[in-house]
Amino acid sequence: IVEQDNINVQNFSAEDINKNKACALSSKYLGLAPLKARIENESQLKGFDIIVSCVDNYATRALIFSFCSKSKIPYVDIRTSGRQLEAYANMDYKEIMATIDPFDTKSYSCQTEHDKMRRTFQRMDRVAASIAAQCILNITRGVVSPLKIVIRI
């Protein structure tokens, strides 16, 4: 759900408050079909040509990676937190699963708590969005190659 805090750090506007984040974003871009519910099982992922994951927890990521690996569906996974960025696409299942801590059950923000307290907004999310857009374009053009980008500033 879009909250007031999201407006400063993500591509949302005041009209998006209280809307499902995936739905709010998909309404800004033609041709996107969002999932309107929390991803809890693989059946929710069926019927998509590409999976773009911007989720904030490892359990959901693991489910997405498992499904995409078994189903041979291309995926893009983007993660940001403060001045850190991770972007993955179409990697080997064992390699992508190594990026997940199965014991970490927290949800994360694209801004660190320290930055929020200081009212400093990092813009690594914009870099991540550019990388994701390029990956999606490549996939739609038939270039489905592995990608791993990790930036820590």
Side-chain angles (χ1 to χ4, degrees), residues 21-34:
K21 286 182 180 179
C23 293
L25 286 176
S26 70
S27 69
K28 297 176 188 323
Y29 305 101
L30 297 175
L32 294 181

Side-chain angles (χ1 to χ4, degrees), residues 99-130:
T99 71
I100 292 179
D101 177 354
F103 301 105
D104 187 343
T105 58
K106 292 187 247 173
S107 292
Y108 290 90
S109 170
C110 61
Q111 300 296 320
T112 65
E113 289 304 316
H114 178 72
D115 286 335
K116 286 182 192 177
M117 287 182 356
R118 292 179 40 217
R119 296 191 171 276
T120 301
F121 298 110
Q122 305 298 335
R123 296 298 181 196
M124 198 58 87
D125 57 325
R126 294 178 184 194
V127 176
S130 298

Side-chain angles (χ1 to χ4, degrees), residues 56-63 79 99-101 104 106 108:
D56 62 0
N57 67 80
Y58 288 137
T60 304
R61 279 197 170 91
L63 189 143
R79 314 169 195 183
T99 71
I100 292 179
D101 177 354
D104 187 343
K106 292 187 247 173
Y108 290 90

Side-chain angles (χ1 to χ4, degrees), residues 39-42 45 58-68:
I39 301 169
E40 296 179 353
N41 61 66
E42 291 183 356
L45 301 171
Y58 288 137
T60 304
R61 279 197 170 91
L63 189 143
I64 290 169
F65 298 151
S66 174
F67 173 79
C68 290

Side-chain angles (χ1 to χ4, degrees), residues 72-90:
K72 306 287 188 236
I73 303 246
Y75 71 87
V76 178
D77 179 55
I78 300 295
R79 314 169 195 183
T80 66
S81 183
R83 295 180 296 172
Q84 299 179 54
L85 174 144
E86 295 180 40
Y88 304 97
N90 310 307

